[in-house]
Amino acid sequence: MSAPAASESQGAVVFGKKRARALLPGARPLAELGATIGFGALGMAVVLLIWWAAAVRLGPLRLPDPWTVFVAIKANWRSIPAMQYVAMQGGGVGDALAFTVVSVLVTVAFGAALGVLVGVALPHVAILRLVTTPALAVLGSTPLLILLPFLVQWFGPGRFVRSGIVVIFTFVVMATVCFRSSAQAIGSYGLYARSLGAKPAFEMWHVVIPALVPDLIAGLRVSLSTAWGLEAVAEIVGGKSGIGRIISTMAHLANTTVILAVVVCLCVTAVGVDGVLTFLVRRSVAWRD
Amino acid sequence: MARLAADPNRRVPPAVEFRNVTKRFEIGGSGQAHVAVDHLNLSIQPGEFVCVLGPSGHGKSTMLNMLAGFTEPSEGYVLHEGNPVSGPGAERGVVFQRDTVFPWKRVADNITFGLKARGIRRTEREKVAAHYLKLIDLERFARAWPHQLSGGMRRRVAIASVLANRPQVLLMDEPFTGLDYVRRDKLHRVLEQLWSEVGCTVFFITHDVDEALTLADRIVIVMHGKVTFEMRVPFERPRSTELIASKDAVDLRLTLLGHLSKALTEAS
């Protein structure tokens, strides 16, 4: 048996080098990160393999293989000749992706800000609660995408309708999440905070807001994951720019390769943004076990 | 161990007084009311440690909630130093039965939450946090998150958080329920130590007769919303396990248990 642990912070007795490495500061998170990346890469490799097999089975016209799509992304990144010719529109996959990403982030941010304000206010303002709760229930159950063609017909294919869908969806999600979370925080900790002398504003800032941060970020992730699809579909139906516009134009030209190329770019971006959000979650809720 | 003694010869207003207090709760829209507290009268002197014993559902927690300002009496008055209680306040600190330590605040920040709420400066707050962390033997865990602590450690933090605010009255609703005997005994010592330093009045609800004998200056039995029995505990502090097992303590325990059983039997 080897010697006891050198310092109290290392805890248990050390047995051999493996255990010593595991107990070094930072070793465990690095190992976990390595495992996460490794297994993630393995998972992606399996997806690509299945895609390749399906592409071989279905043929290049119906389903291009991953390499063809990757080449198409590179070739069309700065400009898409077909878009210039058919839609008389410049720019490539990169520009369209940037447009869609900015649209989604701005509209989600706006919808989230409204939703958080309303959601946090609901437990405190009875009239607002009576007025808003039924509307939230209806909007939350309504499949907004089905309304899209009607909204485009009534209000035109402009920014208002495209952004409005994402804003409404995000608002409903965030308001519902924040309402439930802040009501729970008030129920669990409100009386205790007040018995320590906290006034309402102090209670809001030091109890309610921190308590709802995990649920708020979870709500943001849900909102974003759906917002990508909502924005893309809205662009398909009535947009003049963005990923959806490329998809609708390339669909008319039966150019499956470019369609898949922009979809893959959108997916990768969505995963990347979710990854950033996950990182922020871990940093901001270090207090959770 | 220094503490404020309740001198029966000195005329001081009670720290806490229930004056003919009744509390009714409507039962689910039926129009019928459940009387949780029934014309209850009770006075607690400044610095006194009172344990309230009684079966579940007989009004003890309702008394605490009224004293904390979480609910109002249907009739009568709940007074703190002669003034009616109206709403929660820092002068009546509450240690709840459930875990109320803020998970998103580090241990030291939990302890100084009340001080920060009252606008106490950071340097002063840090001194108070250091002092109480030393008293509860958690100095090394000042920057720890609550989820990193055991249940007993979180209980210590909860008690220190309330007492760091220097309340005039400390309300405790079965704060040690669910803890094992060893942890509970340790927490009794911590509570007594903190209480002797702060010198506040204590209203402590418990089901445990031995716990009441260990901690209380006076034991009050509440049944069916009324005070049915009161008894002073004549032992000096600190009260060891041997003292609580002594013949005198056993006699007191039998008296209390006898009263509880008799009252329950008569009621049924």
Side-chain angles (χ1 to χ4, degrees):
Chain A
M1 192 176 287
S2 46
S7 71
E8 193 178 355
S9 64
Q10 289 195 335
V13 177
V14 175
F15 294 101
K17 285 184 185 172
K18 253 192 196 174
R19 192 71 180 270
R21 268 205 299 275
L23 289 172
L24 284 171
R28 213 158 156 186
L30 277 176
E32 280 175 4
L33 182 64
T36 304
I37 292 173
F39 281 111
L42 185 64
M44 284 313 301
V46 169
V47 168
L48 287 171
L49 208 60
I50 294 171
W51 180 356
W52 215 300
V56 167
R57 182 91 171 87
L58 294 170
L61 279 178
R62 288 166 75 186
L63 183 65
D65 60 78
W67 180 251
T68 306
V69 170
F70 174 69
V71 168
I73 292 172
K74 272 182 70 177
N76 293 281
W77 187 258
R78 287 187 190 279
S79 72
I80 306 174
M83 289 293 290
Q84 285 177 333
Y85 182 72
V86 173
M88 284 185 267
Q89 189 172 340
V93 172
D95 297 309
L97 187 64
F99 180 87
T100 301
V101 166
V102 168
S103 296
V104 165
L105 293 181
V106 167
T107 49
V108 165
F110 183 65
L114 271 178
V116 169
L117 273 171
V118 170
V120 165
L122 282 175
H124 300 280
V125 185
I127 290 176
L128 184 65
R129 199 163 57 245
L130 286 170
V131 165
T132 316
T133 310
L136 284 177
V138 168
L139 285 171
S141 317
T142 305
L144 293 172
L145 222 41
I146 286 178
L147 294 177
L148 188 60
F150 300 101
L151 293 172
V152 170
Q153 208 164 23
W154 295 333
F155 300 110
R159 163 67 65 197
F160 174 73
V161 168
R162 287 204 320 274
S163 302
I165 290 280
V166 176
V167 167
I168 290 171
F169 178 79
T170 307
F171 168 79
V172 170
V173 168
M174 297 305 290
T176 307
V177 160
C178 290
F179 173 36
R180 288 193 187 142
S181 192
S182 53
Q184 193 174 10
I186 291 166
S188 299
Y189 298 103
L191 287 177
Y192 174 59
R194 270 173 261 157
S195 72
L196 289 172
K199 297 283 186 287
F202 191 90
E203 182 189 331
M204 178 64 70
W205 189 245
H206 290 274
V207 177
V208 176
I209 303 281
L212 69 83
V213 163
D215 290 334
L216 190 152
I217 294 179
L220 263 179
R221 292 180 72 188
V222 165
S223 300
L224 268 171
S225 68
T226 307
W228 299 113
L230 286 176
E231 175 73 20
V233 170
E235 286 168 0
I236 289 171
V237 171
K240 289 188 167 51
S241 304
I243 293 286
R245 174 74 168 146
I246 294 179
I247 291 174
S248 69
T249 306
M250 292 299 122
H252 285 123
L253 299 174
N255 193 333
T256 322
T257 305
V258 175
I259 292 174
L260 270 178
V262 296
V263 168
V264 165
C265 288
L266 189 62
C267 288
V268 169
T269 308
V271 168
V273 170
D274 189 65
V276 168
L277 215 47
T278 307
F279 173 75
L280 288 174
V281 167
R282 290 219 177 113
R283 297 282 294 183
S284 63
V285 291
W287 49 267
R288 283 189 109 177
D289 47 358
Chain B
M1 194 180 294
R3 64 173 178 88
L4 288 177
D7 181 356
N9 296 320
R10 199 163 130 232
R11 291 176 71 90
V12 291
V16 165
E17 191 179 354
F18 290 83
R19 203 181 281 173
N20 203 30
V21 170
T22 296
K23 178 67 182 177
R24 293 183 203 91
F25 292 102
E26 194 186 311
I27 303 171
S30 64
Q32 289 182 317
H34 166 67
V35 181
V37 175
D38 187 8
H39 296 94
L40 185 141
N41 289 283
L42 177 67
S43 290
I44 304 176
Q45 297 303 314
E48 201 178 2
F49 197 126
V50 169
C51 279
V52 180
L53 270 175
S56 300
H58 281 237
K60 305 184 303 297
S61 293
T62 306
M63 288 172 68
L64 184 143
N65 288 337
M66 287 190 286
L67 189 45
F70 299 153
T71 185
E72 288 179 351
S74 306
E75 290 172 28
Y77 300 94
V78 178
L79 305 170
H80 170 229
E81 292 186 347
N83 301 311
V85 168
S86 59
E91 66 279 3
R92 285 161 285 115
V94 184
V95 178
F96 291 78
Q97 187 175 354
R98 66 179 192 275
D99 186 5
T100 51
V101 174
F102 299 121
W104 53 84
K105 287 192 175 293
R106 299 182 193 270
V107 168
D109 296 326
N110 262 285
I111 290 174
T112 58
F113 178 88
L115 300 173
K116 191 171 182 178
R118 284 163 37 217
I120 305 295
R121 284 186 314 169
R122 187 185 199 153
T123 45
E124 183 60 35
R125 293 201 314 260
E126 284 171 359
K127 277 186 206 163
V128 170
H131 174 67
Y132 279 90
L133 282 165
K134 190 171 177 185
L135 280 179
I136 59 174
D137 197 25
L138 289 178
E139 285 166 285
R140 287 190 304 124
F141 296 90
R143 302 298 297 158
W145 298 108
H147 81 262
Q148 295 172 313
L149 307 182
S150 68
M153 290 158 100
R154 285 204 296 275
R155 286 279 89 190
R156 280 189 260 164
V157 172
I159 294 167
S161 301
V162 176
L163 284 169
N165 229 13
R166 295 268 165 173
Q168 289 154 2
V169 180
L170 178 63
L171 309 171
M172 306 182 83
D173 190 354
E174 298 180 61
F176 307 137
T177 297
L179 296 177
D180 59 75
Y181 176 81
V182 172
R183 274 192 195 166
R184 194 186 274 239
D185 187 60
K186 196 168 178 181
L187 287 167
H188 288 166
R189 306 285 157 240
V190 168
L191 174 60
E192 282 187 305
Q193 191 177 3
L194 290 171
W195 168 62
S196 72
E197 172 167 308
V198 174
C200 54
T201 308
V202 180
F203 181 97
F204 188 108
I205 294 176
T206 181
H207 286 131
D208 189 325
V209 174
D210 283 346
E211 185 167 61
L213 288 171
T214 303
L215 295 172
D217 292 324
R218 179 162 54 119
I219 296 174
V220 171
I221 292 182
V222 170
M223 301 188 69
H224 306 293
K226 291 179 188 294
V227 173
T228 57
F229 185 75
E230 286 184 53
M231 178 183 84
R232 292 212 77 82
V233 181
F235 307 134
E236 288 296 316
R237 296 178 191 276
R239 296 171 190 168
S240 63
T241 312
E242 292 75 22
L243 174 65
I244 299 303
S246 68
K247 186 185 176 306
D248 290 338
V250 168
D251 288 342
L252 290 181
R253 188 188 301 118
L254 288 173
T255 304
L256 290 166
L257 289 173
H259 179 83
L260 283 163
S261 302
K262 184 181 164 199
L264 276 172
T265 310
E266 280 171 2
S268 59

